[in-house]
Amino acid sequence: HADEDDDGDHDRARDLYEHGEIKGLANILDIVRAKAPGDVVAVDLIRQANRWVYRFQVVGADGRRTTVDVDAGAGVIMRGGEGD
């Protein structure tokens, strides 16, 4: 069932991108890497209030995990968390 959910997320993201509602993931990744260098280990597209948000989990060279939320429509960082 997880595969079905992943496919649904991918399809939803593609539809939102094609309709101009969200920025492409490749563009957003550059912004995230500048804010939180490291390995992106997870990306979720979630709905917060009335906007779409990319939520990134990034593991830095020191092994600390950081959460970075990006407004998917505006392409700007909303908040960056410290390590969990």
Side-chain angles (χ1 to χ4, degrees), residues 65-76:
R65 183 181 298 252
T66 303
T67 301
V68 180
D69 286 351
V70 179
D71 183 315
V76 296

Side-chain angles (χ1 to χ4, degrees), residues 1 10 12 15 18 37 49 59 67 73 82 84:
H1 291 234
H10 180 78
R12 179 176 58 212
D15 289 346
E18 287 174 355
V59 176
T67 301
E82 291 304 314
D84 293 337

